[in-house]
Amino acid sequence: MSAIAGRAGASIGSLYQFFPNKLAITQALRVRYAQEYDERCAPLQTRAKTLHPEALADHLIELTMGFIEDHPAFVALLDAPHSSRVPAGLRSRLRARFAGFFLARKPRMSKERAEQFAIVTLHILKAFHQLYGETAAPQKRQFIPEFKTVLTGYFRSRMGLES
């Protein structure tokens, strides 16, 4: 906690006033990052209807890559204790946003099916977060086309999203 206070330029007492322990800081950061990631995804909702699978995958990977680069600490939070998870309501909102991408593209898809695709897509992006964030700078770009291929193939084969 002393090191965190020092890096924040705050006194340890001030830090404890808002965060009683490292778990509380972890929870607050995860909530903040989840909200920001959701906000970054919001504009894609209106464009999803017209995007081909490759373009949707490109947008999601590029958006995620930008988020990781702006928030390098986020990757470490992925391994934080389960007790620091983002609240269920916020996780639900992010899943609903992603389900909305698929429903916009395929309006006859059931909401349950769209949510299933959203969950899988979010887990693929979580794997990308982890790998991209933990890889040394010269090698990280080599994984971008791999994950774009994974998402494009998934969108095409499982959801029938053709070009």
Side-chain angles (χ1 to χ4, degrees):
M1 293 293 278
S2 296
I4 293 169
R7 286 190 66 188
S11 72
I12 190 78
S14 294
L15 184 64
Y16 274 114
Q17 195 172 8
F18 296 99
F19 305 102
N21 53 41
K22 286 188 272 186
L23 181 61
I25 292 171
T26 302
Q27 287 172 320
L29 279 172
R30 285 179 94 168
V31 166
R32 180 174 154 214
Y33 287 162
Q35 288 170 333
E36 185 177 330
Y37 187 73
D38 181 54
E39 289 168 10
R40 287 185 183 202
C41 291
L44 191 53
Q45 185 93 29
T46 57
R47 300 183 61 214
K49 184 176 185 175
T50 60
L51 292 176
H52 297 289
E54 296 85 0
L56 181 57
D58 284 350
H59 283 302
L60 288 173
I61 293 294
E62 295 295 326
L63 183 146
T64 300
M65 188 175 59
F67 183 83
I68 296 165
E69 289 174 357
D70 290 346
H71 304 292
F74 179 70
V75 174
L77 294 174
L78 292 174
D79 290 331
H82 185 72
S83 58
S84 70
R85 286 184 73 183
V86 171
L90 188 53
R91 284 194 318 271
S92 228
R93 188 172 82 198
L94 190 57
R95 275 194 312 269
R97 177 159 327 275
F98 273 68
F101 298 159
F102 306 127
L103 288 169
R105 190 72 169 85
K106 265 191 103 165
R108 293 185 181 171
M109 179 184 295
S110 73
K111 285 182 128 184
E112 294 78 21
R113 192 81 168 133
E115 181 151 321
Q116 179 184 8
F117 294 137
I119 291 167
V120 171
T121 301
L122 284 164
H123 277 278
I124 291 168
L125 291 172
K126 182 179 177 182
F128 177 69
H129 275 125
Q130 197 104 30
L131 186 59
Y132 189 83
E134 292 175 352
T135 303
Q139 289 84 29
K140 48 176 70 190
R141 297 206 74 73
Q142 72 186 359
F143 297 111
I144 296 167
E146 300 303 318
F147 275 90
K148 285 181 180 181
T149 299
V150 168
L151 280 176
T152 299
Y154 179 65
F155 295 159
R156 282 185 170 167
S157 70
R158 301 300 293 155
M159 291 178 274
L161 296 183
E162 293 302 322
S163 300

